[in-house]
Amino acid sequence: MNSISNRKLTLLRKLQKKKYREKEQRFLVEGERAVEQVIDNGVVEVENLFFDKSQQLWNSSFWSEKAEWFSSALVDTDSFSEVTDTDNPQGILALCRIPQEADLQNFAEKEGILVATDRIQDPGNLGTMVRTAAWFGASGLLLGKGTVDLFNPKVVRSTAGTTGTLPFVNVDLKSTLSLFEESGWQVLMLDSSKNAENIRTVDSLAKIILVIGNEANGIAPALLKNPVRRKIEIPTPAKQQQVESLNASIALSIALYALTG
């Protein structure tokens, strides 16, 4: 196996930044489990595999086989550390193509549950949300302005290999939610303010958009004020509430369980 070219190494370094991911339409997947899952899913196009010379993963029967499937190269340990996002890299990177965004009109004609994120800024939260949405069979993702890049390395790592498996589109939620409501979608907003309904009282619906708000500030007031949209909350079973709110990704998990159960 040959060593990585300088041109390719420069590309891997650049892909740590969003503007280059958008320009090149490429992103990185790091770690054995995540790369294996991406390959097995067969949804995201894998262009290259890169192995840390010192860890010698390519010598295992599993990865030696995969190295024959894809164009592969070795990277010296120092350079490998530069292009990874973890303190203890697992010795393998996959260079992948960013999937094409879904067509918004076709999205509106679907059924099921769409997860809409309003300014979710923590990469770990978004990655966990993507993984959870895929687990519960969500139909896709509406990524509102202010949401962290879906292909940020920390987001990708948190999805545990599910990045790209759900259709997605980056949108202005204010106009997009109105468009979807015209197509018969019911917007449910996770919000514990006054007049919010208990999520347990929500009947099964064919078309649901579940909106999750910013970690610190919740859902934007401009989205909340529409009277047609329903505010829903996850009630605490505790007699004395000890915390103000749930973590955003945990709240999404509970909500999806309640709505799909």
Side-chain angles (χ1 to χ4, degrees):
M1 190 183 302
N2 295 325
S3 294
I4 189 172
S5 67
N6 289 331
R7 181 181 62 82
K8 192 70 77 170
L9 184 57
T10 297
L11 173 62
L12 299 189
R13 291 189 179 112
K14 286 182 175 181
L15 293 179
Q16 300 300 311
K17 296 182 178 180
K18 180 180 179 180
K19 68 177 182 179
Y20 289 113
R21 292 194 294 271
E22 291 179 341
K23 178 182 177 181
E24 300 292 340
Q25 286 298 291
R26 305 288 193 280
F27 73 104
L28 298 175
V29 179
E30 178 185 348
E32 287 191 79
R33 181 183 176 193
V35 173
E36 179 182 352
Q37 189 67 58
V38 165
I39 292 173
D40 287 347
N41 288 338
V43 177
V44 171
E45 180 183 346
V46 178
E47 291 190 340
N48 303 97
L49 296 180
F50 300 100
F51 295 93
D52 179 355
K53 284 183 180 179
S54 67
Q55 297 194 43
Q56 300 188 15
L57 279 181
W58 72 93
N59 283 329
S60 70
S61 58
F62 180 85
W63 288 113
S64 65
E65 179 184 18
K66 299 298 184 288
E68 293 180 359
W69 294 4
F70 306 98
S71 175
S72 302
L74 301 179
V75 184
D76 68 76
T77 299
D78 289 342
S79 295
F80 197 88
S81 296
E82 289 179 16
V83 298
T84 57
D85 189 55
T86 56
D87 293 332
N88 299 294
Q90 295 181 25
I92 184 169
L93 279 174
L95 176 63
C96 304
R97 280 188 172 271
I98 292 178
Q100 186 175 358
E101 290 190 24
D103 178 80
L104 203 56
Q105 189 57 50
N106 289 341
F107 234 21
E109 294 170 0
K110 289 176 174 283
E111 290 189 349
I113 297 179
L114 296 174
V115 173
T117 61
D118 177 30
R119 300 164 297 138
I120 294 296
Q121 296 176 348
D122 182 86
N125 268 340
L126 182 62
T128 303
M129 289 177 180
V130 172
R131 184 178 180 183
T132 301
W135 174 266
F136 283 104
S139 298
L141 305 168
L142 299 174
L143 305 171
K145 289 182 178 179
T147 294
V148 63
D149 177 24
L150 183 61
F151 300 97
N152 176 294
K154 290 183 174 67
V155 175
V156 173
R157 188 168 69 251
S158 297
T159 70
T162 56
T163 296
T165 59
L166 287 177
F168 70 95
V169 59
N170 292 287
V171 297
D172 177 343
L173 282 181
K174 186 176 180 180
S175 58
T176 300
L177 292 182
S178 297
L179 171 67
F180 275 63
E181 285 167 331
E182 292 173 1
S183 298
W185 288 82
Q186 174 67 68
V187 176
L188 303 180
M189 299 177 292
L190 269 179
D191 180 81
S192 58
S193 61
K194 187 178 180 181
N195 300 325
E197 304 172 50
N198 187 324
I199 194 170
R200 295 171 181 154
T201 66
V202 177
D203 295 329
S204 177
L205 300 167
K207 296 183 174 185
I208 293 175
I209 297 177
L210 181 59
V211 184
I212 313 297
N214 175 266
E215 293 90 342
N217 302 307
I219 297 172
L223 301 179
L224 287 170
K225 68 181 182 181
N226 187 315
V228 176
R229 295 169 191 160
R230 297 167 65 181
K231 300 177 184 177
I232 59 172
E233 66 174 351
I234 299 168
T236 173
K239 293 182 180 179
Q240 293 184 335
Q241 188 171 338
Q242 303 296 321
V243 295
E244 182 182 359
S245 62
L246 289 168
N247 168 275
S249 59
I250 291 175
L252 174 64
S253 301
I254 296 171
L256 286 174
Y257 180 78
L259 294 171
T260 59

